[in-house]
Each structure stands twice: as structure tokens, then as C-alpha cells.
Amino acid sequence: MSDDLRNIILGLAATAISAALGWFVRTYLWRRRLGHQQRFFGLPTGSECLLVVNRDPGSRDWSVARNDVFALIELASIVKDCRAHAEILPHDTAWQGFGARTEFCIGGPVSNQRMAAHLRTMLPGVEVNPDNLGPDRGALTIAGETYRLDKGSVEYVLLARLAADENTGNSRPVFLSSGQTAITNQAAVRYLVRHHTRLARKYGGDGSFCLLLKVINSTAYGPDVVEVVADVTRPASTPVSRPAIATAE
């Protein structure tokens, strides 16, 4: 065998080994990222999840606001990436417990009965003004601080990941996007989709959290400009203390 032929064979072998090694590394990293993503969202391969959507409060008929539809589309992409399956249910037909399947619940408690139930059960420290008119309409109150809606300028939304009780055997998380407007619901979902890796790193793949987000100038920027106001996990999870009512003796 000539030196030239030997060099060609060695070069081809080195190329094949490098290609195989590169494929192995890429596959390993991809599977690792997928595993972390599936764990955070509670969506192992072949699993099912629930997408619960609210009713558009501005419509007389049963319809879903456009931005809430956009939020569902963004969640559907995550479900597909995790190789899972989704079922979409209106908020007033989702009569089941939580934890058996991962759930994504969208919409404020005024227009979403299931969201109202989740807040009462898992985030009792959150108070939402149900009025449709006045300066406090839709205002959020947490730990004595009130966050008022200035539609199109400053709007607030709660983004939460709540881990179910593993002792019951139902350990899939519940994700809440409870905003003052439909565009804030979409903003919270978009924030979750974009930053889930960072959130998992901070709170753990199985951890619970509740963030208060501020959507700025949605009239111009849509759901893209979002700031984290505070991590309100502790106060939101703590029931609001009420002053005792004195009774006559």
C-alpha cells in the first residue's frame, strides 16, 4: 500500500470517527435538554396534559380572546417539543382534580372559574378585584400591596408553577397565567416558554414558584416587553389574615 493511499484511508477514518463523535455529542445534549424540559413541564414522552382556557369577558357569546388563542398556540409548541399530547377544555367544563396530568390554566379568576378555584386553593394570599369599572378594576393585591391596571400602558399578570402533592400519587404540576387582560396572559406564557430553562435552574425541575410580571406598553409592544416585579411565592401562598370580629357577650 502506497503512502498516499494510506493517508487517504486514515483521513477518511478520522473523518468518520469525528462525524460519529459529533453526532453522539449532539444527540446526548439534545436528549439531556429534552429530559430537563420534560421534567420541568411534567410532560414525559407520550403523556397527556390539559389546557384550560377562559371565556372572553368582552363577548356575549362563548368565545376565546385572540391573545388567549395565541397563548394556547405557544403552549402547544412546548407540548409538541416534549412529545406529549394536549386536551383543550373550556374553564367551566374542566371538572376534575389536579396533579394527575400537567395543567396549563389561562385567564383571570373573573372569567375563568377554574383559575378562581386554583387561586383559592393554592394561592390564597392573592386577592383580585372583580369589578369591571373604576380605578381598581382587576387590581391585584398581594401582601398588602395593590397593583392596578392601566390598560395598554402597565398591566400585571401572575405566572405560577405549582407542584402537586406527591403523597397523593398525583405529582404533575399546574401552571397558571392569571392576568388583568388577555395580552398579559399571552405575555406570561411567552415568558414561560422563553425562560423555562432559567426558571428550572433557579427553582428546580420540580419546584413551585409564583412571579408577578409587569407588561409594559402593550399597545405598542404587544406581549414582548415584560419585567419581573417580584417573586411573590411566599405571600401568595399564605392566606390573608382577617381581623377578628368582636361578638357581643
Side-chain angles (χ1 to χ4, degrees), residues 115-127 158-162 176 178 209-211 232-240:
M115 179 66 74
H118 285 328
L119 293 182
R120 286 194 301 268
T121 302
M122 295 181 280
L123 296 175
V126 176
E127 296 180 288
L158 287 174
L159 171 64
R161 181 193 192 277
L162 304 173
L176 305 181
S178 178
F209 62 81
C210 181
L211 303 178
V232 295
T233 306
R234 184 180 297 274
S237 304
T238 305
V240 178

Side-chain angles (χ1 to χ4, degrees), residues 41 108 114 144 230:
F41 287 108
R114 190 164 175 86

Side-chain angles (χ1 to χ4, degrees), residues 40 52 67-68 111 115 121 125 145 148 180 196 232 242:
F40 178 77
V52 180
N67 291 102
D68 288 334
S111 59
M115 179 66 74
T121 302
E145 187 75 24
R148 294 178 175 84
Q180 294 175 324
H196 66 84
V232 295
R242 304 291 183 185

Side-chain angles (χ1 to χ4, degrees), residues 68-81:
D68 288 334
V69 173
F70 292 156
L72 289 174
I73 293 173
E74 298 201 37
L75 288 173
S77 68
I78 282 290
V79 174
K80 182 178 179 181
D81 288 344

Side-chain angles (χ1 to χ4, degrees), residues 148-230:
R148 294 178 175 84
L149 164 69
D150 185 359
K151 192 170 183 179
S153 179
V154 176
E155 298 151 291
Y156 296 93
V157 56
L158 287 174
L159 171 64
R161 181 193 192 277
L162 304 173
D165 186 2
E166 295 185 356
N167 295 326
T168 65
N170 297 330
S171 57
R172 298 290 171 81
V174 177
F175 291 88
L176 305 181
S177 174
S178 178
Q180 294 175 324
T181 59
I183 201 166
T184 61
N185 298 331
Q186 183 190 1
V189 168
R190 180 166 294 183
Y191 184 91
L192 175 68
V193 171
R194 288 180 175 177
H195 301 287
H196 66 84
T197 301
R198 188 173 70 185
L199 292 171
R201 191 179 301 119
K202 181 175 182 179
Y203 297 102
D206 299 321
S208 295
F209 62 81
C210 181
L211 303 178
L212 178 65
L213 307 179
K214 178 168 64 175
V215 182
I216 300 173
N217 200 356
S218 63
T219 301
Y221 304 126
D224 283 336
V225 181
V226 177
E227 292 182 0
V228 178
V229 178

